[in-house]
Amino acid sequence: MLWVISQVCEFVIKTQPGAYIRGETFSIYADNSGFAKVKVRKGERIVVKAIGYEPYEFNAECEDVEITLKPRPYKLSEIIVESEPIKLTEKTKTVEHIKGEDLNFQGSAIIKPEEVLMFVPGVAYEGKDVVGSVPAVRGMARFRTVVFLENMKVSTEREIGPSLFYASPDVLERAEVFKGGATVFGSDAIGGSVLYFLKGVHSQNEVKLSYNSNNGLMGTYIGYKPVEKFYIGFGGYNANNYYFPDTVKGNGFYSPSLIGAKNSSFRKYTFTSSLSFRGINASFVAFLGRDIYRAYKSSSINYYPEINELYGFLKARFFEVGFHRYYTLSRKVKGSDTTDNPRNGDDLSLRVFYPLGDYVMGADYFGRYNVNSQVYENGQLRYNELKNATLHEYGLFVLGSKRFSNLEVSGGLRGGVYSSSNLKGVKFAPSGHFGGVYSFGMLFVRGNIMASYRFPHFLETHAYSPRPRGFLKGNPDLQPEKALTLEGAFGSRVFELVAFGTFVRDFIEMYKEGVNEYGDTVFSYKNLPEVATIFGIEGKGNLKFGNVYLNPGITLMEGEAGSVKLSDVPPLRMFLRMGYNSRVSPFINIFYQAEAKEVAEIEEEKPPFLTVDLGLNISFGNLTGVIGLYNLNNAIAYRSLDPSSLPQAGRSLFLHLRYSF
């Protein structure tokens, strides 16, 4: 079907299922049957991309079109820092592209973007609870996996590290996960990087409704373009008293009475807008959280009465500017004692770049200002963690790649200068990458070497924060971490097997320091004297038999420093995503985590678990949806090894409907 009015037309593209289709005024993913309906200007340039295939470019002629993409034996991984037409790329690295429809598949009662990352080999999410967890790449949790929103580093003063747990995933267009150190990202990208991108002027108009039976979660999102180059979107979620499987084991785990209490609920709201004018794109997004409650394994209750996260971005052909302002209030209630921990600060980022032949050169800056954090008890100031703290990081970088007949090589170097309120003097911080991929027939081999670093965060050096098990005290004498990652891969269009090893000097690890005068266990940080090593294997497949698809994955990792086990390194994990591509597409997701026996000092052994999700993807014209059962077998699933971690939410029915226009 097609129609044309004043040189604007609507037609259907048939191509590879799940392909990413982008024009000058829109972006969309093909559905599970390979269909996408687009509305464009006649003659508009359109690019179709899919992992494992060569990109295809054409000009819109206002006719339905079928495009057969040409397979290639290997994928070229790119760190995409987009300000069209310039892309900063580190090819040959291990990357995962996550489509918007996968990000918006939120089966559980805990709506957060990183949930879908559990189906990426080498990626877990860690933390004390299912609401406030953070992504961890290759066993590098907390501040060793850097999170970006629109190419701006997401900062935090939360102990478990950066995430967008407070965000509504409906506002996100896609995500990309890059494994190993990244040249252009500076400090923190030792394990990897998670990049989230917002919907904007390229997005479709849409209305989405969500429901989850655990317990009555309701959500909505509306995205609309009142004019061609202006986009607005708003929505949110409300969950009231979500519940977990029965965890009574007689060993101190949660009881149904505690889990069923009204400290398991949340409200999240979001608003975004984007405007494009003469090659300049400006966007703004606000994430607001209210009364985010979590149950704990004690008589205390920890929750966030208020979260305000504001981001602004300005992009042009050769530069990008980002601004972030945040205010969060966490509260701990234990009997008659109330401890408040308000935190606020401002962040600024800037990146300029320019292409020179096969190279891209640039400079970047990331700064934090007015970082404040205080702890109160019964309304009285007890500790002053941070007061007007600042951080500055400057960098100069160069990236380049060269493609031969069967070989592609890429590399990058960055010289960084780092200063912070929690460090003495100015520190030099180099990082770099070199790699290559060689194809023979339909197979390929790939190798990379990456150097990265991480400076201690404010919380690790100066904070004194309440925790469910006591208090966390900073160590001002911490040294920065220095890391080297080696990886090799073998595969084809339908499978990939990756082996990696990361070696970290001065690894920063949490430990138990003792008990304070109030009877609280005090935790702190120290640099381990031995070189910390994490070795692992990642495997995945993309198998198709007609309309049937099988996507298996496996991750196996071990981490230690001498004879000491490292924290946040998960045990064996395996998953299988299986389904049938059609207008009505059934699917099943199976996830298994092995028993955690040998764990770090601050962690707890956890039993194995297997969870199953079952559902249907539905697509009829402009209406798409998914209905299914999350955690069908009601498994007790502890993804994190933190002793205070909550299990995953219990069995629930979920429904999402989306109408695009």
Side-chain angles (χ1 to χ4, degrees):
M1 179 187 74
L2 63 91
W3 52 266
V4 181
I5 299 179
S6 301
Q7 300 299 309
V8 175
C9 57
E10 182 178 271
F11 63 95
V12 173
I13 298 175
K14 172 69 169 69
T15 185
Q16 183 72 18
Y20 179 57
I21 304 170
R22 181 164 187 168
E24 299 169 19
T25 60
F26 77 96
S27 65
I28 192 175
Y29 286 92
D31 63 21
N32 291 332
S33 299
F35 290 94
K37 183 182 294 185
V38 300
K39 185 189 298 184
V40 302
R41 297 191 307 267
K42 185 175 181 180
E44 182 171 333
R45 181 174 63 94
I46 298 175
V47 179
V48 182
K49 297 181 178 180
I51 296 175
Y53 295 86
E54 297 285 353
Y56 184 87
E57 184 174 328
F58 69 101
N59 293 323
E61 293 295 337
C62 294
E63 296 179 352
D64 293 347
V65 61
E66 182 170 351
I67 296 171
T68 302
L69 298 180
K70 180 182 177 181
R72 63 185 178 196
Y74 62 91
K75 66 180 183 184
L76 294 180
S77 304
E78 298 180 338
I79 291 182
I80 302 178
V81 182
E82 289 191 339
S83 282
E84 293 287 1
I86 306 301
K87 293 185 179 180
L88 309 185
T89 64
E90 285 187 275
K91 297 183 177 180
T92 76
K93 294 184 62 174
T94 302
V95 66
E96 306 285 347
H97 299 270
I98 301 166
K99 299 179 295 184
E101 63 185 56
D102 287 333
L103 277 173
N104 295 329
F105 166 72
Q106 300 294 326
S108 81
I110 320 301
I111 303 297
K112 56 188 169 91
E114 58 262 27
E115 278 187 281
V116 74
L117 300 183
M118 61 183 278
F119 292 106
V120 176
V123 180
Y125 53 83
E126 302 294 336
K128 296 184 287 292
D129 60 84
V130 290
V131 173
S133 56
V134 302
V137 181
R138 292 182 169 175
M140 297 291 188
R142 304 183 188 273
F143 298 102
R144 298 183 190 93
T145 291
V146 66
V147 177
F148 282 79
L149 178 64
E150 287 290 331
N151 308 315
M152 180 175 184
K153 185 181 296 185
V154 173
S155 62
T156 182
E157 294 313 314
R158 302 172 63 248
E159 169 208 330
I160 57 175
S163 78
L164 289 182
F165 79 96
Y166 46 76
S168 167
D170 298 313
V171 77
L172 301 174
E173 179 188 63
R174 70 186 193 279
E176 296 168 354
V177 178
F178 300 93
K179 302 174 183 178
T183 302
V184 296
F185 292 160
S187 181
D188 300 357
I190 289 181
S193 312
V194 178
L195 282 65
Y196 296 104
F197 295 90
L198 293 166
K199 292 178 179 177
V201 295
H202 296 293
S203 304
Q204 287 187 318
N205 298 331
E206 64 176 315
V207 176
K208 181 181 177 184
L209 300 175
S210 302
Y211 169 77
N212 192 291
S213 63
N214 183 2
N215 253 340
L217 179 143
M218 301 294 293
T220 185
Y221 179 77
I222 299 174
Y224 181 63
K225 288 188 288 188
V227 294
E228 183 178 341
K229 295 292 186 177
F230 179 54
Y231 177 87
I232 55 174
F234 57 91
Y237 288 91
N238 180 81
N240 183 20
N241 194 19
Y242 57 86
Y243 60 90
F244 303 88
D246 184 359
T247 57
V248 176
K249 298 181 178 180
N251 62 353
F253 282 88
Y254 305 87
S255 68
S257 61
L258 180 59
I259 291 176
K262 190 180 168 51
N263 55 345
S264 300
S265 59
F266 63 82
R267 289 177 289 139
K268 295 181 181 181
Y269 309 100
T270 188
F271 169 80
T272 187
S273 62
S274 180
L275 174 66
S276 181
F277 181 73
R278 294 187 177 179
I280 298 177
N281 184 273
S283 56
F284 168 82
V285 63
F287 298 113
L288 308 177
R290 296 294 183 267
D291 298 327
I292 299 180
Y293 288 82
R294 303 87 61 80
Y296 275 110
K297 195 176 79 173
S298 69
S299 59
S300 66
I301 297 174
N302 254 34
Y303 70 102
Y304 288 96
E306 186 174 352
I307 295 177
N308 301 302
E309 302 276 349
L310 309 177
Y311 292 88
F313 308 99
L314 186 67
K315 295 184 180 183
R317 186 177 181 185
F318 299 124
F319 75 88
E320 299 171 334
V321 179
F323 176 76
H324 172 216
R325 168 164 289 181
Y326 69 91
Y327 172 81
T328 65
L329 176 64
S330 61
R331 178 173 295 161
K332 179 180 180 180
V333 180
K334 188 174 184 179
S336 60
D337 290 342
T338 299
T339 304
D340 278 3
N341 186 195
R343 293 170 173 172
N344 67 275
D346 300 311
D347 304 327
L348 178 68
S349 71
L350 172 66
R351 184 182 286 117
V352 294
F353 38 84
Y354 194 81
L356 294 172
D358 293 328
Y359 300 92
V360 175
M361 304 185 68
D364 60 73
Y365 168 77
F366 177 75
R368 304 194 64 192
Y369 303 85
N370 307 317
V371 178
N372 294 279
S373 183
Q374 296 177 330
V375 178
Y376 290 81
E377 182 180 16
N378 291 331
Q380 300 297 316
L381 178 64
R382 181 174 176 183
Y383 298 100
N384 190 61
E385 295 184 81
L386 295 169
K387 187 175 182 179
N388 295 325
T390 60
L391 175 153
H392 305 282
E393 184 175 4
Y394 305 86
L396 294 174
F397 61 85
V398 58
L399 302 172
S401 64
K402 190 72 174 179
R403 187 170 185 176
F404 305 95
S405 58
N406 291 340
L407 173 67
E408 177 146 6
V409 294
S410 69
L413 290 173
R414 180 181 184 274
V417 177
Y418 194 96
S419 66
S420 173
S421 297
N422 62 345
L423 298 172
K424 295 180 180 179
V426 176
K427 309 293 183 181
F428 178 64
S431 61
H433 154 254
F434 179 76
V437 56
Y438 180 80
S439 63
F440 49 99
M442 294 303 294
L443 302 176
F444 70 87
V445 291
R446 179 164 53 85
N448 291 283
I449 179 170
M450 295 159 277
S452 54
Y453 63 92
R454 183 178 81 89
F455 283 92
H457 277 247
F458 293 134
L459 185 139
E460 295 172 313
T461 58
H462 285 78
Y464 202 103
S465 302
R467 306 186 81 242
R469 298 169 286 152
F471 278 83
L472 175 63
K473 184 177 71 172
N475 176 3
D477 298 322
L478 291 175
Q479 297 298 312
E481 298 177 338
K482 285 77 69 175
L484 181 69
T485 298
L486 306 175
E487 72 171 15
F490 170 72
S492 71
R493 251 190 340 110
V494 297
F495 80 94
E496 184 176 46
L497 186 65
V498 182
F500 70 90
T502 300
F503 309 85
V504 186
R505 288 179 53 197
D506 295 315
F507 191 90
I508 299 172
E509 184 71 299
M510 186 188 295
Y511 73 102
K512 296 179 182 178
E513 185 180 81
V515 179
N516 65 12
E517 58 183 302
Y518 300 97
D520 295 315
T521 302
V522 177
F523 297 84
S524 189
Y525 295 97
K526 63 182 178 181
N527 292 109
L528 299 181
E530 299 88 357
V531 174
T533 59
I534 297 181
F535 295 98
I537 295 176
E538 303 163 0
K540 65 176 183 179
N542 183 21
L543 308 176
K544 295 182 180 179
F545 307 93
N547 287 343
V548 177
Y549 65 87
L550 296 172
N551 299 135
I554 184 171
T555 305
L556 177 62
M557 288 186 289
E558 290 288 340
E560 58 186 16
S563 59
V564 178
K565 286 288 183 180
L566 300 180
S567 61
D568 300 315
V569 180
L572 169 70
R573 292 182 167 204
M574 296 187 293
F575 66 81
L576 174 64
R577 307 181 77 174
M578 181 169 58
Y580 182 86
N581 284 324
S582 65
R583 293 294 186 184
V584 179
S585 306
F587 67 87
I588 183 171
N589 298 328
I590 302 173
F591 189 95
Y592 171 77
Q593 179 173 294
E595 181 180 6
K597 286 186 176 181
E598 299 179 5
V599 298
E601 174 195 9
I602 62 169
E603 294 180 327
E604 195 170 66
E605 295 184 358
K606 293 290 172 65
F609 68 83
L610 183 145
T611 60
V612 178
D613 304 329
L614 191 65
L616 284 175
N617 284 308
I618 305 167
S619 177
F620 290 104
N622 292 348
L623 180 65
T624 58
V626 57
I627 183 172
L629 286 169
Y630 170 82
N631 197 358
L632 176 67
N633 50 324
N634 209 35
I636 301 173
Y638 289 95
R639 302 195 190 282
S640 172
L641 304 183
D642 191 303
S644 61
S645 63
L646 283 167
Q648 295 298 289
R651 182 191 301 119
S652 59
L653 170 71
F654 63 90
L655 172 66
H656 303 293
L657 293 175
R658 177 178 181 266
Y659 181 77
S660 59
F661 59 99

